[in-house]
Amino acid sequence: MSPTYIGLVRLTFRELWARWVTLGLFIVSTLAWLMVTFALNIDVVEGSLAGFRVFGDDVMPTDVDTDPSDLLNTIVVTIQAAVAGAAYWVAALLGLFATGPILASSLEPGRSGLLFSKPAKRSTILNAHTTGVVLVAALITVYLLGMVFLVMSLKSGIWNFRFLLAIPLVVTMFSVMYSVMVLVTVISRSSALSLIITYGLIFSSIVLAAKDEIAPQITLPWRNVYLGFYHVIPKFAEVTRTVAQLAGIEPVNNLYPLASSVAFGLFVYTVAVFVLKRQDL
Amino acid sequence: MNTSYIPGPDVSIQVDSVSKFFGSPHKSSSVHALDDVSLTVTKGEVFGLLGPNGAGKTTLVKILLGLVTQSSGNASIRGIDTRKFEARKPIGFLAENHRFPGFLTGAQLLMYYGQLSGVDRSYIKKRIPVLLDQVNMAKWANTRIKKYSKGMMQRLGLAQALINDPDVVFLDEPTDGVDPVGRLEIRRILNWLGDQGTTVFLNSHLLSEVEQVCDRVAILNNGAVLAEGSISDLTKTTTGTYTISVAGSANIPQSLQTVLGEIQDRSSSGIVRFNPAISDRESLNQLIDSLRAHAVPIESISRVRRSLEDSFIDLLDSPVD
């Protein structure tokens, strides 16, 4: 890697730290895993579940026929899947909100001239910036989910390594949504607009995720428009299920939401690079 | 696109018939920022680009830095097309109204921006104290930039522009906000850079400063080069290089009045000032002899020294062909 690329990644890291973004996300993540630590109380006696309390309330299932050792496994994995799903949303929404203004400030007059007059391709500068942001998001995700994994595994004695597969998924979907922010910021120079559009897409994905229920209710040709949106827009909400499935014990039966979202992210990012290369700064 | 042009080995900056439209050239709303601009800056030259606001100076500098792409024509730095990022390897740049990240210290900024210029960390580490000392900022090296004054920011900006030991330095209003002592230091650095063989491309509104440091200047107006040349070329007078003040004009014969020209100024004490159309010492002495012969009392004789500002204003006021 060239000194220019490394320098740009370091500068992005430094800026995220100076703007309290890294520390803020670190504190929120710490609070999250501490909450999991203190909220869940799992009593394990000889490998079987003897007691299960959430915030001090006994929620031990009593009317199930499941073997106590299987029950322990089911509860731990279910909780982990739920935590992974929640972390996916929190990490993405919070991470996007925190990192959004960084690119816009780099492209402001007075800074962009200094940055883009350096002997580096514009694509290299943008890639290095994105690398820095995604690396910080990845570190925070590894810390949050890693600590949850460690705490729950130590408490229960069940080491569900599949839970860790949620980490790359969270980072990947963060990157997909960040690419939208990059494109909007490159075009508009507005971090507020980039957040509005990105969050808009995320919340639209909730409506689009219910396509099996909604689409039959819509008449043609609007149904095709709705389905067109479904196929184009990143399926952020639907991927939550994939995250939970990966973290839990269910098989992942549909990778289309993830694959099409990644394709969308790559396309949008490529357009952002293309636009930036042609812009007069 | 003409790519056959190969500049000579001493040419640092070459601008060849560069035009720039913002917006479509066929639409009335488009802005014609540069119109067929050509100029050459040789190695080691301190070159000044002058012009009123909106003349196209910033656009030209941005084209040379690869920040803006020209609509037509060619621009190169040391023979490399400015549209290629490789052209920016030997350059340093201090932008007008630049904004450095306030969370960095002066030394950290030089380290990061040095790295962005592709310079090795170990080399930058050695260079930081030297440069900070040169711009008189050594004692502020570890202070955060957000605490710097405007003048300190400019001096740090200059150090930043020199961190990669550039062959060509672009400076946009480098003394903006700097106190007179700081300006003197910056002028000293610019002269030193020129002596070292570094090409300096200076964009400044302060004409007196340009006059003091630049070897050559170009004056830009409405996107076109109005004049280009050395300071002495541009400040050369066309009407005469002397003024003669005499006590009263009653005794001056008609033949001498033709040489003396029109009265430029008449004081309340009767002193009349002329700007005769002569430019050499011999003609001046002949004129003095003639005035003495006709008993015209001479009050004073002085050499006319036009400033760059005078030439600049004259050029801008002159009608366009």
Side-chain angles (χ1 to χ4, degrees), chain A residues 3-4 7-8 10-11 14-15 18 108 110-111 113-122 279-281, chain B residues 20 22 62 66-69 85 88-89 93 97-101 103 108 112-113 115-118 121 160:
Chain A
T4 309
L8 277 162
R10 289 184 69 226
L11 192 61
R14 190 72 183 71
E15 183 147 13
E108 278 176 3
R111 277 191 73 180
L114 287 169
L115 194 60
F116 289 95
S117 63
K118 298 296 175 193
K121 290 178 181 173
R122 291 186 185 185
Q279 267 179 348
D280 284 335
L281 296 168
Chain B
K20 175 65 185 176
F22 288 105
K62 284 186 169 184
L67 299 172
V68 166
T69 307
F85 79 92
R88 300 194 286 278
K89 276 184 184 165
F93 172 48
N97 299 323
H98 57 79
R99 282 186 53 237
F100 290 136
F103 53 83
Q108 285 171 339
Y112 282 121
Y113 278 67
Q115 273 192 290
L116 301 191
S117 298
R121 275 172 71 88
Q160 175 275 143

Side-chain angles (χ1 to χ4, degrees), chain B residues 207-208 211-212 219 227 230-243 264 273 275-276 302-318:
Chain B
L207 302 182
S208 58
E211 201 168 355
Q212 287 180 66
I219 296 176
S230 66
I231 300 287
S232 57
D233 285 345
L234 290 177
T235 54
K236 199 177 280 175
T237 57
T238 50
T239 53
T241 54
Y242 299 97
T243 59
Q264 301 291 311
R273 185 167 60 84
N275 189 8
S302 59
R303 179 183 278 274
V304 174
R305 172 78 176 82
R306 292 182 85 230
S307 68
L308 186 59
E309 191 169 324
D310 296 329
S311 306
F312 180 76
I313 300 292
D314 285 351
L315 274 165
L316 293 186
D317 286 345
S318 60

Side-chain angles (χ1 to χ4, degrees), chain B residues 46 131-136 155 158-159 162 171 182-196 198 200 213:
Chain B
V46 181
L131 276 174
L132 287 176
D133 193 46
Q134 206 167 11
V135 296
N136 213 5
R155 283 186 277 155
L158 184 58
L162 303 177
L171 304 172
R183 284 183 184 185
L184 189 69
E185 283 167 8
I186 289 179
R187 283 204 297 272
R188 185 179 49 76
I189 292 170
L190 296 185
N191 286 326
W192 176 80
L193 284 169
D195 292 344
Q196 298 293 306
T198 306
V200 180
V213 295

Side-chain angles (χ1 to χ4, degrees), chain B residues 93-170:
Chain B
F93 172 48
L94 169 63
E96 186 187 16
N97 299 323
H98 57 79
R99 282 186 53 237
F100 290 136
F103 53 83
L104 297 175
T105 66
Q108 285 171 339
L109 179 106
L110 294 182
M111 175 53 80
Y112 282 121
Y113 278 67
Q115 273 192 290
L116 301 191
S117 298
V119 185
D120 187 61
R121 275 172 71 88
S122 57
Y123 178 76
I124 303 170
K125 273 183 188 170
K126 283 183 212 154
R127 193 146 166 76
I128 286 172
V130 177
L131 276 174
L132 287 176
D133 193 46
Q134 206 167 11
V135 296
N136 213 5
M137 286 287 291
K139 63 179 173 182
W140 303 99
N142 297 313
T143 303
R144 290 204 173 178
I145 293 170
K146 62 184 171 192
K147 293 183 179 168
Y148 284 7
S149 68
K150 180 84 197 289
M152 289 160 80
M153 290 278 275
Q154 285 299 100
R155 283 186 277 155
L156 180 69
L158 184 58
Q160 175 275 143
L162 303 177
I163 189 71
N164 57 333
D165 218 353
D167 294 333
V168 184
V169 186
F170 290 89

